[in-house]
Amino acid sequence: VKMDRNRLIELLRKKESGVITLSEIRELNEYLKTNTDDKIIADALNAVLAGSFKVEHDYQPGEIQRHVKNLHDKINTDLNTGLSAGKPNKNRLIIMISAIAASLILGIAGYYFIYSGSQHNTVAKNVLSTKKGSKSTLELPDGTKVWLNADTRLTYDKNYGEKIRAVELTGEAYFDVVKDADHPFIVRTKFMDIKVLGTAFNVRAYANETNTQTSLLRGKVEISLRNKKAEKIILKPNEKIILNNADVLNDNNNIASKRKEMPILSVVAIKTNKTDSTANEIQWTKNRLVFDQTDFGEIITELERWYNVQAVIKDSSILPRKLSGIFENESLPEVLESFKLAAGFNYRISDNTLTIY
């Protein structure tokens, strides 16, 4: 398998930043399987970026130096070949920048791996993510199926399943968990942990939203709050727990909340669509947008993620207005057209910018 040097650097950078897609993960892994030099340096680089200098294998310093030298030789060959071929100035500049970038990456990884005195064990992580405007499905090593909504990041350790099956989530995901009583499945979010044995449930934990929600479709889940781990909340099927993130932050900082529009947490019944009995909380897995007396401000946030646009609001007075609607595979203009009379706004779309006025 061959890979352009620029592409390798791009994939390593994406993996480190957590914005790599499932197809890109597969592309990178397939390449690294058959390219030992790049694989070992990628391991070292992962260790550096993770804040530890102990990688999965106990490579000797001399071995690391040899692989770093091999890669630098390859980079220099690419550079010299490109320059001697009389490539256009633009291409020559790209080649030079790529060579410098690769040298810096590999040099830093090699240097820290060899010379650092800090040798702390660390567990490598798998990071899977979706961008705004995209969704994805995946299967974890135990067969658990996961649907990732837009702008979502899911992380799990390489030792997933050895004792527990733990994942970390930012964004929204629907899980259909394979039953395994000996290895509990745990979803960790910023404010709550969700523990299950085998069940189907949805977790919504976007960083820019005021609530964290867990909706149980079948089975049983145990909820524990990060700041009150001793307290456990058991959800029954067709129940949803809503946690007010702002109140949790206030509680953590010992600051009394002056005004609470809702309790710090509440358990409510899940609403289902009358047509096909699908819970509203997982309609997104069927490419449906569902709003039920939702603040227009929250709708805009959802549209930004769903259609990969940046919203500019010219009149904030319309944001608290509550709207309802169900949309399946409809375009952004179609959604906005259905709302604009009821909410009293107009809009324009230019490139990736949505202006509301």
Side-chain angles (χ1 to χ4, degrees):
V1 181
K2 292 184 178 180
M3 182 180 291
D4 178 79
R5 182 67 46 190
N6 296 347
R7 179 61 173 165
L8 175 60
I9 295 169
E10 179 189 9
L11 291 180
L12 289 173
R13 179 184 60 78
K14 283 186 171 184
K15 184 177 180 183
E16 181 271 328
S17 62
V19 296
I20 194 166
T21 64
L22 294 177
S23 61
E24 289 171 334
I25 279 279
R26 294 190 194 99
E27 180 186 353
L28 179 61
N29 289 343
E30 286 299 317
Y31 172 76
L32 293 178
K33 280 181 185 177
T34 55
N35 291 269
T36 307
D37 290 336
D38 288 331
K39 172 67 169 67
I40 292 176
I41 299 304
D43 286 345
L45 180 59
N46 284 337
V48 171
L49 296 172
S52 173
F53 307 101
K54 177 71 174 176
V55 295
E56 196 172 343
H57 304 287
D58 293 326
Y59 299 119
Q60 296 300 312
E63 188 179 1
I64 289 290
Q65 285 176 322
R66 177 168 59 82
H67 287 293
V68 171
K69 183 180 183 303
N70 287 346
L71 282 168
H72 277 297
D73 289 344
K74 288 180 185 178
I75 292 165
N76 289 331
T77 299
D78 292 343
L79 180 60
N80 293 330
T81 300
L83 296 179
S84 63
K87 301 238 178 187
N89 289 335
K90 183 178 179 181
N91 289 339
R92 292 175 63 186
L93 180 61
I94 292 172
I95 292 169
M96 291 179 70
I97 291 173
S98 300
I100 292 168
S103 298
L104 286 172
I105 289 174
L106 300 177
I108 290 171
Y111 174 83
Y112 278 109
F113 183 82
I114 295 166
Y115 297 110
S116 171
S118 303
Q119 291 291 316
H120 304 292
N121 287 324
T122 187
V123 178
K125 291 181 179 292
N126 293 301
V127 180
L128 304 169
S129 64
T130 54
K131 299 177 182 178
K132 290 183 178 180
S134 68
K135 303 178 192 67
S136 190
T137 58
L138 61 107
E139 190 170 295
L140 295 175
D142 64 327
T144 290
K145 293 181 174 59
V146 186
W147 288 255
L148 298 181
N149 206 344
D151 195 21
T152 294
R153 173 175 168 142
L154 183 77
T155 305
Y156 64 95
D157 293 342
K158 289 286 179 65
N159 62 5
Y160 174 92
E162 290 179 10
K163 293 182 179 179
I164 61 172
R165 297 173 290 166
V167 300
E168 296 177 16
L169 176 70
T170 303
E172 183 169 21
Y174 174 62
F175 300 88
D176 193 345
V177 181
V178 170
K179 190 170 184 178
D180 183 352
D182 295 328
H183 300 90
F185 186 87
I186 300 173
V187 180
R188 296 191 172 112
T189 71
K190 185 175 181 179
F191 297 112
M192 70 167 64
D193 291 343
I194 303 101
K195 180 181 178 181
V196 305
L197 297 179
T199 187
F201 64 104
N202 192 80
V203 180
R204 186 179 180 96
Y206 282 108
N208 62 344
E209 292 189 347
T210 58
N211 296 327
T212 299
Q213 303 181 12
T214 298
S215 305
L216 179 62
L217 282 302
R218 68 171 188 268
K220 184 172 72 174
V221 300
E222 178 185 276
I223 310 290
S224 61
L225 305 186
R226 283 294 180 93
N227 64 334
K228 297 178 181 177
K229 290 192 174 181
E231 298 179 17
K232 309 293 183 185
I233 300 142
I234 305 297
L235 282 188
K236 299 175 184 176
N238 296 317
E239 285 186 341
K240 173 171 70 172
I241 187 170
I242 303 171
L243 173 68
N244 190 314
N245 299 338
D247 285 345
V248 175
L249 289 173
N250 287 338
D251 193 42
N252 283 339
N253 295 329
N254 296 317
I255 299 173
S257 220
K258 293 181 181 178
R259 175 173 173 266
K260 293 184 180 180
E261 295 180 353
M262 60 176 294
I264 189 169
L265 63 86
S266 57
V267 176
V268 299
I270 289 175
K271 294 183 179 180
T272 57
N273 184 291
K274 295 179 180 179
T275 305
D276 60 3
S277 299
T278 302
N280 287 347
E281 284 73 14
I282 63 167
Q283 292 284 358
W284 63 268
T285 65
K286 300 179 181 292
N287 287 320
R288 295 174 189 154
L289 276 170
V290 177
F291 304 112
D292 182 14
Q293 288 298 295
T294 307
D295 288 353
F296 186 56
E298 294 178 25
I299 292 175
I300 289 297
T301 300
E302 187 73 5
L303 296 181
E304 285 182 307
R305 280 195 291 264
W306 198 271
Y307 295 102
N308 190 20
V309 293
Q310 180 69 43
V312 177
I313 310 298
K314 296 294 187 180
D315 181 3
S316 60
S317 67
I318 63 176
L319 296 181
R321 298 179 186 178
K322 297 185 181 298
L323 301 167
S324 299
I326 299 177
F327 308 92
E328 183 171 1
N329 295 319
E330 295 189 38
S331 67
L332 178 57
E334 288 173 326
V335 175
L336 294 170
E337 284 292 327
S338 69
F339 280 150
K340 72 176 189 178
L341 288 178
F345 70 87
N346 217 325
Y347 69 91
R348 63 174 175 269
I349 303 171
S350 178
D351 295 326
N352 285 337
T353 300
L354 165 65
T355 304
I356 303 290
Y357 58 93

